[in-house]
Amino acid sequence: MRTIAENFEKATVVIGREASERKFKEGAQNYRFIHLATHNITDDKQPMYSKIILAQTDDKNEDGFLQTYEVYNLRLNAELVVLSGCNTGLGRLSRGEGLIGVTRAFLYAGAPSLVVSLWPVNDESTAELMKYFYRNLKADMAKNQ
């Protein structure tokens, strides 16, 4: 994460116990780029309960799981959200609705671009890929290149 942060003039890196659900919800609207390198649990039967795993804390009002339905309630100003974890692009295909999952929730919350994974990913190779992705983004390369 710190390697990614080096590509930005002003970056906030939150890791470990500090990466709480409350902290994310309260601060996410303040960032142009959001990068979540964490685990994801996809619920194929009830996709609104798919979740991104954040720090488990003593907070009685938050459980440490950023549920899909909670993301819908956010108002983001991010230009890009990167969900750097296994299967973050999965969801349930619903007739007339399309794909219902966490990616759709982030789009609804205001993020016009997402980078997600459709399969299990290796931590080391993903970190390497993300290092080059952000380096190229800093060099004004288009996100889709």
Side-chain angles (χ1 to χ4, degrees), residues 42-48 50 89-95 97-104:
T42 301
D43 188 327
D44 293 327
K45 293 190 182 357
Q46 295 183 318
M48 295 301 275
S50 292
L90 299 181
R92 186 178 79 199
L93 190 57
S94 178
R95 186 177 304 190
E97 291 292 326
L99 187 67
I100 299 173
V102 73
T103 54
R104 183 176 182 161

Side-chain angles (χ1 to χ4, degrees):
M1 290 299 287
R2 296 197 195 290
T3 303
I4 292 170
E6 291 170 1
N7 291 294
F8 299 95
E9 225 173 271
K10 186 177 176 184
T12 303
V13 177
V14 183
I15 57 174
R17 197 160 164 78
E18 292 298 311
S20 71
E21 182 181 2
R22 176 175 305 284
K23 189 169 203 154
F24 180 81
K25 287 178 179 177
E26 290 176 352
Q29 74 279 357
N30 298 321
Y31 296 94
R32 184 173 158 215
F33 298 99
I34 297 172
H35 184 101
L36 293 170
T38 185
H39 296 288
N40 176 67
I41 298 173
T42 301
D43 188 327
D44 293 327
K45 293 190 182 357
Q46 295 183 318
M48 295 301 275
Y49 291 99
S50 292
K51 57 190 130 254
I52 295 169
I53 301 172
L54 297 171
Q56 303 297 302
T57 65
D58 296 330
D59 189 329
K60 303 222 183 307
N61 296 315
E62 302 292 357
D63 60 5
F65 300 110
L66 182 62
Q67 308 269 356
T68 298
Y69 71 86
E70 293 175 306
V71 176
Y72 273 98
N73 294 322
L74 299 175
R75 293 297 162 253
L76 301 176
N77 297 305
E79 175 184 321
L80 173 69
V81 173
V82 176
L83 303 178
S84 185
C86 297
N87 305 314
T88 54
L90 299 181
R92 186 178 79 199
L93 190 57
S94 178
R95 186 177 304 190
E97 291 292 326
L99 187 67
I100 299 173
V102 73
T103 54
R104 183 176 182 161
F106 273 102
L107 291 169
Y108 184 86
S113 298
L114 280 93
V115 174
V116 297
S117 172
L118 297 173
W119 51 81
V121 296
N122 176 279
D123 289 344
E124 290 175 26
S125 59
T126 300
E128 189 73 9
L129 176 69
M130 289 293 108
K131 178 175 78 174
Y132 290 108
F133 174 77
Y134 283 105
R135 187 179 296 162
N136 291 336
L137 198 62
K138 181 180 178 182
D140 292 325
M141 188 179 284
K143 291 177 278 231
N144 64 345
Q145 291 180 333

